[in-house]
């Protein structure tokens, strides 16, 4: 069974020709691809036939009208996550000028860089955390490439307790007060039992640690982040999550019990419950 249907295959081929070689559909119709290096084309085709995502083959992914460098081992930015960035940067009157914003689980840096660039006129201070040193190297590369002012730090958010009293990790400022105006995260949220519904090119190539959580604890990362945010968010600061729609109600209940308020569920472009925001 082919990995891609005919329309998908054509779209991927056009993407390769446009991004790698700068050829438009008109150029292809005029057969301007005839002089391209055939050996290289065969290598690219072979990688795609093996199921490697086209973003890895090309070394970049489009996100919020910008191109981010990606490679195997780094989660490919998703279209729905663009809406999370829009929610953060287009909330009326928030975040404030010179706000301090934390992106937890930054991966390629797509969220942190997008927020920093979209809010550069507000002189925001953006920090991105990730447990993966490789991801942080890629995120720093993307920030430099795009001219985004972001600080990246290696932090395991599941080992949250030491961070609560660590000023250099953003838990509090030097005067002991909470330091973040806004915390945003797109953490791992796909449960193990959902594997069977996923495409092979995702399962075989993208990092499991950035995707999956145990079936018996689907809110694992949300709980740890929310506990940290209770201490680290400024009064009336906001917490933004991308979520698994299957557990939206459970997450709302958890945040409510933790005394968060103004809790809202937001849909993505496909009408699925995909985001939650809550105020400290």
């Amino acid at each position: 069974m082919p990995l891609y249907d005919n329309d998908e295959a054509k779209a991927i081929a056009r993407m390769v020709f446009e991004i790698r070689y700068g050829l438009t559909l008109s150029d292809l119709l005029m057969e301007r691809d005839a002089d391209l290096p055939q050996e290289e084309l065969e290598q690219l085709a072979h990688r795609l036939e093996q199921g490697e995502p086209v973003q890895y083959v090309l070394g970049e992914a489009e996100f919020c009208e910008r191109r981010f460098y990606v490679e195997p081992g780094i989660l490919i930015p998703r279209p729905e996550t663009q809406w999370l960035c829009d929610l953060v940067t287009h909330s009326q009157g928030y975040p404030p000028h010179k706000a301090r914003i934390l992106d937890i689980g930054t991966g390629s840096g797509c969220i942190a860089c997008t927020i920093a660039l979209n809010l550069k006129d507000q002189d925001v201070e953006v920090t991105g955390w990730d447990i993966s040193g490789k991801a942080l190297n890629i995120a720093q590369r993307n920030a430099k490439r795009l001219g985004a002012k972001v600080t990246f730090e290696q932090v395991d958010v599941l080992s949250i307790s030491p961070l609560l009293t660590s000023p250099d990790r953003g838990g509090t400022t030097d005067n002991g007060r909470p330091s973040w105006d806004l915390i945003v995260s797109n953490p791992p949220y796909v449960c193990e039992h959902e594997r069977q519904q996923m495409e092979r090119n995702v399962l075989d190539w993208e990092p499991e640690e950035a995707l999956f959580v145990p079936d018996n604890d689907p809110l694992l990362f949300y709980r740890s982040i929310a506990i940290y945010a209770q201490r680290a968010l400024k009064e009336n600061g906001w917490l933004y999550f991308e979520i698994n729609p299957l557990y939206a109600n459970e997450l709302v209940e958890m945040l409510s019990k933790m005394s968060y308020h103004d809790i809202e569920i937001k849909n993505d472009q496909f009408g699925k419950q995909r985001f939650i925001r809550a105020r400290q």
Side-chain angles (χ1 to χ4, degrees):
M1 182 177 178
L3 184 63
Y4 304 106
D5 63 32
N6 192 47
D7 289 339
E8 284 181 304
K10 287 180 179 178
I12 289 172
R14 286 197 294 268
M15 187 185 305
V16 170
F17 282 118
E18 180 178 353
I19 294 175
R20 177 61 65 91
Y21 301 108
L23 297 180
T24 65
L25 180 57
S26 297
D27 293 327
L28 296 176
L29 293 174
M30 296 174 67
E31 299 185 349
R32 290 179 177 168
D33 58 320
D35 295 328
L36 295 178
Q38 291 303 305
E39 184 176 348
E40 182 175 282
L41 288 175
E42 290 173 5
Q43 290 174 350
L44 294 175
H46 177 72
R47 291 173 66 182
L48 292 169
E49 288 169 358
Q50 296 303 306
E52 185 173 353
V54 64
Q55 292 89 345
Y56 290 157
V57 172
L58 294 173
E60 59 182 60
E62 184 171 331
F63 185 84
C64 290
E65 300 182 352
R66 301 181 180 96
R67 295 199 179 277
F68 286 79
Y69 175 74
V70 293
E71 64 181 44
I74 304 299
L75 189 70
I76 297 169
R78 278 11 186 214
E80 53 267 33
T81 305
Q82 298 178 101
W83 285 54
L84 178 61
C85 294
D86 286 343
L87 285 174
V88 170
T89 60
H90 291 92
S91 296
Q92 188 172 4
Y94 209 89
H97 188 69
K98 292 186 179 295
R100 298 190 72 232
I101 298 172
L102 174 62
D103 171 30
I104 296 179
T106 197
S108 66
C110 61
I111 294 175
C113 291
T114 297
I115 290 173
L117 291 168
N118 287 357
L119 297 178
K120 62 182 178 180
D121 292 340
Q122 294 181 217
D123 195 25
V124 296
E125 180 183 330
V126 181
T127 298
W129 285 355
D130 206 285
I131 191 175
S132 166
K134 180 177 182 178
L136 292 171
N137 288 335
I138 298 300
Q140 288 169 341
R141 177 173 174 174
N142 280 320
K144 183 177 181 180
R145 178 185 187 182
L146 296 167
K149 187 179 178 182
V150 182
T151 300
F152 294 104
E153 299 175 348
Q154 190 166 19
V155 176
D156 178 3
V157 73
L158 294 182
S159 300
I160 205 76
S161 298
L163 304 180
L164 296 174
T165 56
S166 176
D168 64 322
R169 291 301 193 189
T172 59
T173 58
D174 290 339
N175 60 14
R177 295 179 180 175
S179 61
W180 303 112
D181 295 277
L182 187 149
I183 295 175
V184 58
S185 183
N186 175 23
Y189 60 65
V190 181
C191 285
E192 288 289 341
H193 74 266
E194 297 179 82
R195 281 178 181 268
Q196 59 188 0
Q197 304 166 23
M198 299 176 69
E199 300 291 340
R200 295 305 314 173
N201 59 340
V202 174
L203 294 174
D204 292 345
W205 291 92
E206 296 200 61
E208 291 194 357
E209 63 272 16
L211 290 167
F212 294 105
V213 289
D215 285 340
N216 63 356
D217 195 2
L219 303 185
L220 174 65
F221 286 90
Y222 299 107
R223 184 185 312 107
S224 188
I225 293 168
I227 290 171
Y228 171 71
Q230 283 180 308
R231 289 279 299 276
L233 270 178
K234 293 180 181 178
E235 184 177 0
N236 292 318
W238 283 97
L239 181 60
Y240 282 78
F241 284 133
E242 182 171 325
I243 67 170
N244 186 332
L246 295 174
Y247 302 101
N249 292 334
E250 290 182 32
L251 183 51
V252 168
E253 183 180 357
M254 185 194 79
L255 292 172
S256 180
K257 288 181 178 178
M258 297 174 73
S259 298
Y260 286 93
H261 56 94
D262 295 337
I263 302 171
E264 297 179 84
I265 298 177
K266 299 285 188 178
N267 291 349
D268 63 15
Q269 67 270 44
F270 307 111
K272 291 186 177 181
Q273 294 181 321
R274 185 66 65 185
F275 314 105
I276 281 181
R277 67 176 183 177
R279 192 189 290 267
Q280 166 71 324

